[in-house]
Amino acid sequence: MRDKGQIIIGAVIVFVGLIFLIGNVLNINVWAFCWPMGLILLGVWLLLRPRLVGPDTAVRQKLLGDIHRDGPWQVTDEEFWIGVGEVDLDMTHADIPVGETKIRVFGFVGDVDVFVPEGVGIVVSSTAFVTDARVLGQKRDGILFPFHHASDDYETAEHKIRLEVTSFVVDIKIKRG
C-alpha cells in the first residue's frame, strides 16, 4: 500500500507541472496567478487544518526554529509543522502510553532526532525529496524514495511509536537511549 504523503506530493507535482505546461502553450504568465492563489490556499488550509486532525492530536507549528522535548513528559499523538528547523524528541524519561502513539512531522528542510528507550517498538516512515536516515544502526540515503523501517520488537512491544515524516529535505536519526 502506498504512503498517503507520497500520493499527495506526487499529485501536487503533477498538477503544478500541468499548470506550467498550459501556461507555456497558451503564453500566459502563470506566476502572476500562482503566487496569490498559493497564498490564499495556504491560508485557508492553515485555518482548516486543526479541524481535520483528531481531537486528541496536538498540532504545533513553527516556521523557523526547533522543537525540543526531553526529561519527563507525556507522549501523545502529535503533529509538528516545521518550515526550517529540527524536531528533537528524547523519550528516554517520557511517559509513553500503552499501545501505538502516532507522531507526524511535516516540514520543508529539517532534522528529526528521536531517542527511544529499550522495549519501545518504533516504526518510521518518510516521504521526502532527499532523505538521510540513520535508524537504529541502519543508514540509508536517497533521492525520491520512500523510507520505511520497523524495529524488530515493534509487533510484540507493549509501547509503540509510529513516526511519519513528510518533507522536502530531511535528516532522520533514531537511536535507543
Side-chain angles (χ1 to χ4, degrees):
M1 185 164 114
R2 284 198 165 151
D3 182 23
K4 185 178 178 181
Q6 183 180 6
I7 292 171
I8 291 171
I9 290 172
V12 168
I13 290 171
V14 168
F15 178 73
V16 170
L18 286 172
I19 294 295
F20 281 107
L21 178 64
I22 291 169
N24 284 337
V25 170
L26 300 177
N27 199 19
I28 298 173
N29 183 0
V30 176
W31 286 111
F33 296 105
C34 284
W35 283 112
M37 284 302 294
L39 290 174
I40 290 168
L41 291 173
L42 179 63
V44 168
W45 183 81
L46 285 172
L47 290 172
L48 298 177
R49 178 64 185 164
R51 292 184 219 153
L52 298 176
V53 297
D56 296 336
T57 302
V59 178
R60 288 210 47 205
Q61 299 172 350
K62 201 162 197 180
L63 184 60
L64 298 172
D66 304 333
I67 296 174
H68 297 281
R69 297 261 174 87
D70 59 359
W73 60 285
Q74 178 66 41
V75 179
T76 61
D77 290 344
E78 271 188 281
E79 281 192 1
F80 298 103
W81 292 82
I82 300 282
V84 176
E86 68 180 52
V87 176
D88 290 330
L89 304 174
D90 185 348
M91 299 181 187
T92 54
H93 301 291
D95 181 20
I96 302 171
V98 174
E100 184 177 78
T101 304
K102 187 179 287 189
I103 297 174
R104 292 185 179 126
V105 178
F106 298 92
F108 183 65
V109 176
D111 293 338
V112 178
D113 299 335
V114 180
F115 295 93
V116 293
E118 292 294 331
V120 174
I122 185 164
V123 64
V124 181
S125 299
S126 172
T127 302
F129 185 74
V130 177
T131 301
D132 179 18
R134 287 179 291 283
V135 178
L136 303 175
Q138 295 186 3
K139 180 172 175 33
R140 289 192 44 204
D141 300 325
I143 297 175
L144 285 174
F145 79 94
F147 174 78
H148 182 81
H149 179 80
S151 63
D152 294 336
D153 61 345
Y154 185 76
E155 293 299 325
T156 59
E158 185 177 6
H159 305 275
K160 300 177 183 184
I161 301 294
R162 176 173 294 278
L163 177 65
E164 298 175 357
V165 181
T166 303
S167 184
F168 183 69
V169 177
V170 68
D171 178 21
I172 301 171
K173 293 181 203 102
I174 311 294
K175 295 180 182 176
R176 294 280 182 195

